[in-house]
């Protein structure tokens, strides 16, 4: 499955109403650690059909970042049934990101 770029217009439909668990990556283009995590998140999206993967650009979607209390990026959030079940801040290896799921 490919990565979905999340914004306030598609958030409810793609994330809150998702039947599958969701991995959300809060990032920004200027963030070095975000650029390290991004290919890992893309890889997970390509490999796993049992989860939905979304990316939220915090510069463009500050309202969504605020709803999740994102203070540092990258922040990775796992949601199930529209609720946050796991959250991690900072660049992490693929194994740690998969362990969140």
């Amino acid at each position: 499955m490919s990565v979905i770029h999340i914004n306030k217009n598609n958030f409810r439909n793609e994330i809150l109403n998702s039947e599958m668990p969701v991995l959300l990556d809060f990032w920004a283009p200027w963030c070095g650690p975000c650029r390290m995590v991004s290919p890992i998140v893309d890889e997970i999206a390509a490999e796993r059909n049992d989860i939905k993967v979304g990316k939220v650009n915090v510069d463009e979607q500050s309202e969504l970042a605020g709803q999740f209390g994102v203070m540092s990026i990258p922040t990775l959030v796992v949601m199930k049934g529209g609720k946050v079940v796991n959250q991690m801040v900072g660049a992490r290896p693929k194994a740690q990101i998969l362990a969140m799921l």
Side-chain angles (χ1 to χ4, degrees), residues 33-89:
C34 298
R35 289 196 303 269
M36 290 168 39
V37 169
S38 186
I40 298 170
V41 170
D42 293 346
E43 205 173 282
I44 291 169
E47 292 171 357
R48 299 277 303 261
N49 291 326
D50 60 327
I51 62 168
K52 188 179 278 193
V53 178
K55 290 188 178 186
V56 180
N57 182 329
V58 297
D59 288 343
E60 297 171 357
Q61 302 299 322
S62 57
E63 197 175 303
L64 280 178
Q67 284 178 8
F68 282 86
V70 173
M71 303 298 269
S72 299
I73 51 175
T75 293
L76 298 170
V77 175
V78 176
M79 297 184 71
K80 292 180 182 168
K83 303 212 181 314
V84 175
V85 296
N86 211 339
Q87 191 164 327
M88 187 182 294
V89 177

Side-chain angles (χ1 to χ4, degrees), residues 4-7 10-11 14-15 24 54-56 61 64:
I4 302 161
H5 294 279
I6 302 301
N7 57 52
N10 68 0
F11 178 75
E14 293 289 353
I15 305 306
L24 276 179
K55 290 188 178 186
V56 180
Q61 302 299 322
L64 280 178

